[in-house]
Amino acid sequence: MPAWRASLRRAAPALGLFAAARLTGTLVLALWAWHVGRSPRALLAKSWDSDWYTRIAAHGYGRTLHWPDGGAQSDLAFFPLYPGLVRALTAVLPIAYGTAGLLLSWLAAGAAAWGIYLVTERVAGRPAAVVLVLLWGLLPHAVVLTMAYTEPLMTAFAAWSLYALLTRRWLLAGALAALAGLSRPNGVAVAAAVLVAVGVELWRRRGRAGWRPWAAAALAPAGWLSYVLWVGARRGDLLGGYFAVQDGWTSRFDFGRGALRFVRDMLKGPTQFGFVMALVITGVGVLLFALLVLVERPPLPLLVYTGVLVLITVGGSGFFESKPRFLLPAFPLLLPAALALTRARPRAAILVVAGLAGLSFGYGVYVLTLARMAL
């Protein structure tokens, strides 16, 4: 039996649970959307950033929104691989851009779940891998995995790149890291993991590791760097142009100062439930990272990848309500919880999973039909 088929067979229970979780969440959202007179497809395919991606797929780059306060939001903030693939799908299938975006995201979410299973199975064993994949599909903000967003695609490339690193397939790891870097700004975390793994390999072998690790190190940051430099060249500022575009979206890395100011102001008075949830989810993510580092101690590439994602999320300013989404690709954060559930009594584990499912499905409905904030 081919190795890929054997791994898919091992992952089948996890993939089945993941699919059941996301299909149930989508059904709950659809039923509520129909109840309030909204289109489930429009909510999933055209909400917030989804609309930007489908417009780029249809018309290319060049759209900028100007606001009365002088702000300017350019579509150059959005990395090109996802809209490029959406455009390619519409070229070969008779479907609309939004439908193509959903199809791509759903396929990518399945591929990501498979890669996550294999990474976790190698690190912590099969029971923990099954539970972790299920938990990933039941995160409060897991509705993003069924939307026309880039997180499923980036997570798929990240998970398989990390698996390639763990199995010492250097060229594959570097190529997938490059694709992750073309998918999202925080895809640079995958390149960081590859570079650190290559550095460790070269140090252990005193530089006599062959050409493949060197090639992986060259490939890994190429996707992210190429887009950042292309935007810089287009804006007339090679090194700073892309970051100026992000600044127009109020997104910048300031070591958490902007986020702390937002939390301070939020705690002074009434605020939206979504902001409170964003604070709670981000805080839980930081706690889980501490447990990952101090207790579980997974392989270094997973720590680097997760640490960079957490650093970008916590240290960045801008749309505070989007921080949980930025942590969605950081699946190793769930390793402590997955291991704890595998050791728990079945009744307790079932109650925890049921509670998470209720929160996930309800919060998905809230953020897409009731909340007055970006996702």
Side-chain angles (χ1 to χ4, degrees), residues 243-255:
F243 302 101
V245 168
Q246 285 285 11
D247 195 62
W249 287 82
T250 70
S251 295
R252 62 185 70 89
F253 188 84
D254 61 1
F255 297 94

Side-chain angles (χ1 to χ4, degrees), residues 74-97:
S74 168
D75 59 8
L76 291 171
F78 298 93
F79 275 50
L81 184 58
Y82 181 81
L85 292 175
V86 169
R87 186 178 184 88
L89 276 177
T90 61
V92 298
L93 297 175
I95 54 178
Y97 289 101

Side-chain angles (χ1 to χ4, degrees), residues 301-323:
L302 270 65
L303 279 179
V304 172
Y305 166 73
T306 310
V308 172
L309 288 176
V310 171
L311 179 64
I312 291 173
T313 301
V314 174
S317 64
F319 293 89
F320 189 86
E321 61 273 27
S322 298
K323 288 186 180 295

